[in-house]
Amino acid sequence: MTLGELIAQAREALTTAITARQQEQDALLALRSDPDLTEDAVSARVATRDAADAEVTRRQTVLDGLLGEQAREEEIAVLSARVTPTGNRSPAYDRVGRVGVEERTYRQDKDRRGAAFERDVASAFLGDYEARDRLSRHMQEERVERGAQLEERAVGTGAFTGLVVPQYLTDMYAPAAAAKRPFADAIRGHALPAEGMTVNLSRITTATSTALQASENTAVSETNIDDTLMTFSVQTNAGQQTLSRQSIERGAGVEPVVLDDLFRRYATTLDSTLLNQATNGLTNVATAVAYTDASPTAAELYPKVIQGLSEVEAALLDMATGDNLAVMHSRRWYWMQNAMGSTWPMISQPGIVQQTLGANYATVYGNGVRGVLPNGTPVIVDNNIGTTLGAGTEDEIYLVDRQECHLWEDSNAPMYIRAEQPAAASLGVLMVVYGYFAYTHARYAHARKIAGTGLIAPTFTGV
């Protein structure tokens, strides 16, 4: 196999590796948009993408080596043509291999403005390997003919601002940060029914009764059971973005980036609705446990947490599952961690080391339970909780039974629509993300929230 055939084979292998790597990157971006993704799934996909990266690097190294070998062979051929043999009798004419004058890759007499060179610079940036080969040959020609000048007058990239093309690391773009859906992911999820715009539940509001029989053969207690219909609206969460066709077709990864951001906004809006919506949001259905203090401390706050949890259980009675949650803003969670103390609970709790006031699991934001309080209650950190409540700088802490906070979602939500016709006249592409959901925290009126001046913007003083 000739050197040229090896180079062609190496180019084809590199192109295949680049295509495979791009497919892995697209799959990774799509996975990150999945609201049900796990850290293990992301890690596995990143590992696959990195393996594809390594394969591209390996193939490029092989091709570069072959091109370097080819350039060296051409350089040797040019040099050999200039050598004048001395001291030996010249061989017969027909036994001498001769190299004629080879035309330069770029010739001023044929292309005075250098348009071919400029096209190849741009094409090489976009991945044209033949353009890269021509540029490589040109540099070898320059080294052969003007090597000394190139070495003596070496310059940096600053001298070629129009030719040193900036590189955009599209796989490392920085998404706009979002609070997303820590609370929504922690509560009890259900499949949304396929039809209808309301969800109806029956709640028993008048129970039966029993009592001690007054005497033999006398009537026993009887109370007619009765229920009340609870109706929850199916709501639509949606967003859109119109992109120019040029940005999609001439850009690098524009569409997946915009889609990822729409998914982030979708998750944030859903979670914020569960917490803050008028009438039905958690802040509006929870019964307040007041914590009023001009100089709040974590040690003073904790008894309010215990009070709230006791009221949650009292409201649920035998329907309490004990699967409680404390939901708070990140600033409140870190404020509680900053507190120092010399006293400990009188009653030990499962999973809590003695002489500690809770535990921090050191998980990242939005990745489930962040830690536990001194009595073992898991903590969910959610920055969709308001920080301008009450007096204007307060946040709130919510205490709920996880199993009594219900969220109905379509298993395929959020949906994605890509429509080209509505904006075809202006070369636009419309992207729409939407989904349906319903929720309730009030099947039983159990939720509690700690609120008041004791939850003003925290200062980290170690108390």
Side-chain angles (χ1 to χ4, degrees):
M1 184 176 292
T2 67
L3 185 58
E5 290 173 336
L6 288 173
I7 291 174
Q9 188 179 67
R11 283 201 190 97
E12 182 177 356
L14 178 58
T15 301
T16 301
I18 291 173
T19 301
R21 191 268 178 199
Q22 187 58 49
Q23 291 173 348
E24 293 298 336
Q25 178 64 17
D26 292 343
L28 177 59
L29 288 175
L31 178 64
R32 284 173 172 160
S33 302
D34 185 350
D36 298 323
L37 84 168
T38 64
E39 185 175 357
D40 290 342
V42 172
S43 298
R45 181 58 66 182
V46 168
T48 305
R49 193 275 313 275
D50 290 346
D53 264 335
E55 180 64 11
V56 170
T57 301
R58 189 177 74 82
R59 294 294 183 183
Q60 180 63 51
T61 300
V62 172
L63 178 58
D64 289 345
L66 293 172
L67 292 175
E69 184 179 345
Q70 181 187 55
R72 181 58 179 166
E73 290 299 319
E74 293 173 355
E75 183 179 350
I76 293 297
V78 172
L79 289 174
S80 66
R82 298 180 179 181
V83 174
T84 301
T86 59
N88 295 318
R89 182 180 177 183
S90 299
Y93 182 88
D94 60 352
R95 295 177 180 273
V96 176
R98 292 177 170 81
V99 178
V101 177
E102 184 176 356
E103 185 174 303
R104 290 289 302 266
T105 304
Y106 306 107
R107 292 182 55 180
Q108 188 175 9
D109 59 338
K110 290 187 176 181
D111 184 11
R112 184 171 298 276
R113 297 180 180 273
F117 174 74
E118 293 176 355
R119 282 197 302 270
D120 280 349
V121 170
S123 299
F125 169 69
L126 296 174
D128 186 334
Y129 296 105
E130 293 184 358
R132 290 182 183 179
D133 289 348
R134 288 191 292 271
L135 291 172
S136 178
R137 287 198 302 272
H138 171 66
M139 289 307 299
Q140 290 297 332
E141 293 163 359
E142 289 294 295
R143 291 188 187 99
V144 170
E145 296 188 9
R146 299 193 300 119
Q149 297 177 12
L150 290 177
E151 291 179 4
E152 293 172 3
R153 303 184 60 183
V155 294
T157 58
F160 302 102
T161 54
L163 300 179
V164 180
V165 184
Q167 302 297 305
Y168 294 91
L169 305 180
T170 55
D171 60 333
M172 293 182 63
Y173 81 98
K180 297 189 77 173
R181 45 178 292 165
F183 177 62
D185 288 337
I187 62 178
R188 187 175 178 182
H190 309 276
L192 184 69
E195 298 177 345
M197 292 303 293
T198 57
V199 174
N200 296 321
L201 295 179
S202 172
R203 179 172 63 183
I204 304 301
T205 50
T206 301
T208 59
S209 64
T210 64
L212 298 178
Q213 186 180 30
S215 60
E216 297 179 18
N217 294 324
T218 58
V220 299
S221 176
E222 180 183 10
T223 302
N224 293 330
I225 193 171
D226 193 15
D227 76 335
T228 298
L229 185 65
M230 302 181 69
T231 300
F232 316 113
S233 298
V234 174
Q235 303 184 64
T236 305
N237 181 9
Q240 64 176 325
Q241 184 76 192
T242 300
L243 300 178
S244 69
R245 182 170 291 280
Q246 292 89 336
S247 68
I248 294 175
E249 295 180 351
R250 304 291 296 177
V254 172
E255 192 169 359
V257 167
V258 174
L259 184 61
D260 176 69
D261 193 72
L262 282 169
F263 283 158
R264 288 169 174 269
R265 302 315 128 191
Y266 179 93
T268 302
T269 297
L270 171 64
D271 192 85
S272 181
T273 300
L274 300 182
L275 293 170
N276 304 311
Q277 189 174 38
T279 307
N280 296 317
L282 185 56
T283 185
N284 292 305
V285 301
T287 302
V289 176
Y291 175 37
T292 303
D293 196 323
S295 302
T297 67
E300 293 172 345
L301 170 64
Y302 181 63
K304 298 295 182 180
V305 174
I306 298 300
Q307 176 185 340
L309 290 170
S310 72
E311 293 178 6
V312 168
E313 183 168 309
L316 291 170
L317 297 176
D318 69 321
M319 298 307 299
T321 66
D323 189 6
N324 297 327
L325 288 177
V327 187
M328 63 184 71
H329 195 277
S330 64
R331 73 180 193 179
R332 192 59 52 194
W333 174 236
Y334 283 102
W335 176 72
M336 294 184 72
Q337 290 183 60
N338 109 108
M340 309 293 289
S342 59
T343 59
W344 299 273
M346 294 179 61
I347 301 175
S348 63
Q349 303 291 339
I352 303 296
V353 179
Q354 292 183 354
Q355 298 185 348
T356 60
L357 299 177
N360 175 28
Y361 289 168
T363 54
V364 298
Y365 179 88
N367 198 31
V369 174
R370 297 293 295 275
V372 292
L373 297 177
N375 71 328
T377 299
V379 174
I380 296 295
V381 170
D382 193 327
N383 281 22
N384 285 304
I385 296 173
T387 57
T388 57
L389 307 174
T393 63
E394 300 171 11
D395 53 68
E396 296 175 339
I397 298 176
Y398 304 111
L399 304 166
V400 297
D401 187 313
R402 186 201 305 254
Q403 301 302 320
E404 283 305 325
C405 293
H406 301 270
L407 171 61
W408 290 267
E409 288 186 281
D410 191 309
S411 59
N412 296 320
M415 308 289 193
Y416 169 46
I417 298 175
R418 187 183 191 275
E420 301 185 10
Q421 292 304 316
S426 57
L427 289 180
V429 177
L430 177 63
M431 301 171 63
V432 180
V433 167
Y434 76 98
Y436 305 117
F437 71 98
Y439 75 95
T440 182
H441 314 302
R443 195 172 76 135
Y444 295 98
H446 76 289
R448 296 296 187 269
K449 67 176 181 180
I450 303 174
T453 56
L455 294 178
I456 58 174
T459 56
F460 296 88
T461 58
V463 294

